Amino acid sequence: MKYTATLLALASTVSAFAPVAQQSTSTALNVVLDGMPGSSAPLKKFDPLGYAQVGSDETFAWFRASELKHGRVAMLATTGYLVQAAGVHFPGLLSHDVTFESLSGMNPLDQWAAVPDAGKWQIIGAIFIAEIYAESEKPHYMMGGPTPALIWPKIDTSSVSESAMATKQTRELNNGRLAMIAIMSFLAEKAISGAVPVLSGIEAFH
């Protein structure tokens, strides 16, 4: 089932395509925000809840890594939801009594509910192992190490210039932010019909 495959892919989203060393932010964090990846038009230094002023440098590094991870998961979730909604599926059996084709007629949330418990635990286990692996990298991103990198496949970014890398990182963060809004909108419309008017007439979201 496509949704299952998408969730399996989440195992690699605890990582990133571009490892980048964290900047030291010992004092005025709101000044640093202005030049770091993700600070872009139209909302530069967007931090309405003041997270940049909470805790220590390590706390701020954790916030940054969390945003990156959640954005990657959201991009996979959004893509996966749309793929499921389009009816695209693998051939054959998911388990001895569940076919991918039978799941393709359901909406993505119902597809997940129909996955046998053993399959769900395999997916959750794979994600857990990937998370432990990523968090075990030394030096840790909270201790000045690079942001979580892609577990598989490894991508060599050594030939990418600093300015080009900053642009790629900003694009990834912005795409992730948009994806977080998108998947929450999909789920909101699924839970409360009419919550997202633009989606209210589309069967896949109900």
Side-chain angles (χ1 to χ4, degrees), residues 48-66:
L49 299 181
Y51 284 126
Q53 306 303 321
V54 175
S56 62
D57 292 349
E58 290 78 12
T59 306
F60 184 67
W62 185 84
F63 285 150
R64 292 284 291 173
S66 295

Side-chain angles (χ1 to χ4, degrees), residues 65-77:
S66 295
E67 180 187 31
L68 188 61
K69 289 182 180 183
H70 282 82
R72 291 167 181 159
V73 170
M75 285 188 278
L76 280 173

Side-chain angles (χ1 to χ4, degrees), residues 26 34 44 145-146 155 189:
S26 57
D34 200 26
K44 287 192 174 184
I155 297 177
E189 181 61 30

Side-chain angles (χ1 to χ4, degrees), residues 98-166:
V98 179
T99 66
F100 288 110
E101 184 177 5
S102 68
L103 294 173
S104 68
M106 307 176 185
N107 68 48
L109 295 182
D110 292 337
Q111 289 180 0
W112 171 248
V115 173
D117 289 342
K120 291 175 181 174
W121 281 114
Q122 289 175 45
I123 294 168
I124 293 170
I127 295 170
F128 176 76
I129 292 170
E131 180 71 4
I132 293 298
Y133 177 87
E135 290 295 317
S136 298
E137 290 288 317
K138 303 297 182 183
H140 193 268
Y141 55 80
M142 290 178 65
M143 300 300 170
T147 52
L150 187 65
I151 294 176
W152 183 87
K154 291 290 186 181
I155 297 177
D156 181 13
T157 59
S158 59
S159 62
V160 180
S161 69
E162 185 176 342
S163 61
M165 184 60 68

